[in-house]
Amino acid sequence: MTDNSSYIDMLRKFGTDLGLPKLNVDELLQTQKKNLEALGQSAKVAAQGAQSVAQKQREVLEAGLREASTLAREYKPLGKVHENLALQTEFARKMFDIAVKGAQDSASTARQSTTDAVKIIQDRMKESFEEFRASVRPNKSA
């Protein structure tokens, strides 16, 4: 064996000597490249989902602050107790509705982005297995 022999050549010779199926190394490397690209795409989808969830949570906070500002402007400490109580009750109901809607939207967005990210990986795994199966051929020299 010379210094110019590559590891791939050594592995090919080893596989041939053992009668192992021949692998198309170029196809195998291309498959792995596609796998890495799918992982990157999946991570990007997951990151976009996280950004969307953060944006929805920000919107919930902003809506809550708007409602709190409205309550503060309309509150009359020397006004009638039942009017103030009604105003506070309405504020609490709106805040609850905003929080529930925000939680539902955030959960839905997170669930969808996770589903999309996992589907990318699942689809790529299926393709990868098919590519690998196609790249393995019986060793005709054995």
Side-chain angles (χ1 to χ4, degrees), residues 105-126:
D105 290 349
S106 293
S108 176
T109 299
R111 186 174 35 256
Q112 186 60 49
S113 67
T114 301
T115 299
D116 293 347
V118 169
K119 184 168 179 5
I120 290 168
I121 299 300
Q122 288 174 332
D123 290 348
R124 182 60 211 140
M125 286 177 67
K126 289 176 188 174

Side-chain angles (χ1 to χ4, degrees), residues 58-127:
R58 178 187 173 114
E59 291 168 3
V60 167
L61 177 63
E62 289 173 347
L65 292 174
R66 279 193 304 276
E67 288 300 319
S69 294
T70 300
L71 174 67
R73 280 192 305 274
E74 295 176 5
Y75 184 71
K76 300 173 186 128
L78 300 177
K80 297 180 181 173
V81 174
H82 65 82
E83 289 175 359
N84 285 336
L85 186 57
L87 188 62
Q88 290 172 352
T89 302
E90 180 64 16
F91 168 74
R93 186 193 58 77
K94 286 182 181 178
M95 290 303 298
F96 181 77
D97 289 346
I98 289 168
V100 168
K101 177 75 168 117
Q104 289 172 336
D105 290 349
S106 293
S108 176
T109 299
R111 186 174 35 256
Q112 186 60 49
S113 67
T114 301
T115 299
D116 293 347
V118 169
K119 184 168 179 5
I120 290 168
I121 299 300
Q122 288 174 332
D123 290 348
R124 182 60 211 140
M125 286 177 67
K126 289 176 188 174
E127 292 170 9

Side-chain angles (χ1 to χ4, degrees), residues 18-71:
L18 288 178
L20 296 176
K22 291 184 180 183
L23 294 176
N24 184 327
V25 175
D26 293 332
E27 287 179 14
L28 193 59
L29 291 173
Q30 186 63 25
T31 295
Q32 293 307 315
K33 180 181 176 186
K34 290 177 183 177
N35 291 346
L36 290 173
E37 289 170 352
L39 283 173
Q41 185 180 8
S42 177
K44 184 177 178 181
V45 166
Q48 289 171 339
Q51 286 177 337
S52 293
V53 169
Q55 179 62 33
K56 289 191 182 302
Q57 290 174 342
R58 178 187 173 114
E59 291 168 3
V60 167
L61 177 63
E62 289 173 347
L65 292 174
R66 279 193 304 276
E67 288 300 319
S69 294
T70 300
L71 174 67

